[in-house]
Amino acid sequence: MSDADAANTSQSTPITVGGVTYEKHKTHWYPHGNMIFTVQDIAFRLFKSFLMRRSDVMAQMLTVSQPNDASSNPQEQQQMFDGAPVVRLDDPVLDFALLLDAILPQTFASSPVPSDSPWQRLLGLAQIAHKYGVNDILTQTGIVLEGIIPTTKNLRGYNGLRNRFVSLSWLAAAASHNNFPWHSIT
């Protein structure tokens, strides 16, 4: 078996943490990563230092001391997999993967925010970028959304739509509300 075949086999093998099985994310499972995030039924193995550098919220979240000694309550102990701590996130998996695509691009692009994404996906990206304090991605997402959704800055081309617009300040405020039904908007 070649190294590439071994890597592909390893990549497709699910992991089990705390009795729950997760599929490895096809792009953001880095075999030498030192941090694992589980989001819904997907596991992401990432590099803690890179996430901490890009996100103040992640930096705070990942530097909080986790009890992990034998005398502590077993339910409070940090879950581990293959020597890496595991953190469970309650975010939509598509939003978290899109945020990682933006901050960990696989190729160089002038903008890590995909301008051909549906606006609903972009709103989800704006929400999760705001939640984790990745301000450059939030700003870039706002710029892409300005080209898709009428805003207070670009109403000239939208005759008759003066009452139907989005301001970027509204977008930032809306992105901060975790209960906003982003994915049900059509």
Side-chain angles (χ1 to χ4, degrees):
M1 180 182 293
S2 73
D3 289 344
D5 291 337
N8 287 337
T9 301
S10 170
Q11 193 80 357
S12 64
T13 305
I15 67 166
T16 301
V17 178
V20 179
T21 301
Y22 300 92
E23 293 296 322
K24 295 175 185 175
H25 190 268
K26 64 182 179 185
T27 304
H28 299 295
W29 180 268
Y30 302 100
H32 300 289
N34 58 1
M35 188 85 223
I36 296 173
F37 290 91
T38 58
V39 183
Q40 295 174 332
D41 61 346
I42 304 294
F44 299 83
R45 189 168 189 152
L46 306 165
F47 294 94
K48 181 178 177 178
S49 60
F50 192 78
L51 294 173
M52 291 174 71
R53 188 176 318 132
R54 290 301 312 265
S55 165
D56 291 338
V57 174
M58 285 280 186
Q60 289 177 334
M61 183 174 74
L62 297 176
T63 56
V64 172
S65 175
Q66 297 289 330
N68 207 19
D69 62 43
S71 65
S72 66
N73 181 345
Q75 292 192 352
E76 292 177 7
Q77 286 188 354
Q78 174 72 54
Q79 294 278 341
M80 301 290 286
F81 178 82
D82 193 26
V86 178
V87 174
R88 172 89 178 112
L89 299 177
D90 292 322
D91 296 304
V93 71
L94 293 175
D95 292 350
F96 190 67
L98 193 57
L99 179 65
L100 293 176
D101 288 345
I103 65 175
L104 300 168
Q106 301 300 303
T107 61
F108 177 75
S110 58
S111 173
V113 177
S115 60
D116 59 347
S117 291
W119 65 271
Q120 298 93 330
R121 297 278 3 113
L122 292 169
L123 287 175
L125 177 58
Q127 180 184 21
I128 200 164
H130 183 268
K131 176 181 178 180
Y132 290 113
V134 186
N135 294 327
D136 62 321
I137 300 301
L138 179 59
T139 299
Q140 290 177 24
T141 303
I143 291 167
V144 172
L145 282 167
E146 269 190 340
I148 298 171
I149 300 173
T151 68
T152 55
K153 290 183 179 180
N154 66 7
L155 279 178
R156 277 188 226 139
Y158 298 97
N159 295 331
L161 295 178
R162 297 250 177 236
N163 294 328
R164 298 175 67 195
F165 65 87
V166 174
S167 72
L168 292 181
S169 59
W170 175 86
L171 173 63
S176 68
H177 296 285
N178 289 333
N179 294 329
F180 191 86
W182 297 104
H183 305 290
S184 64
I185 298 173
T186 56

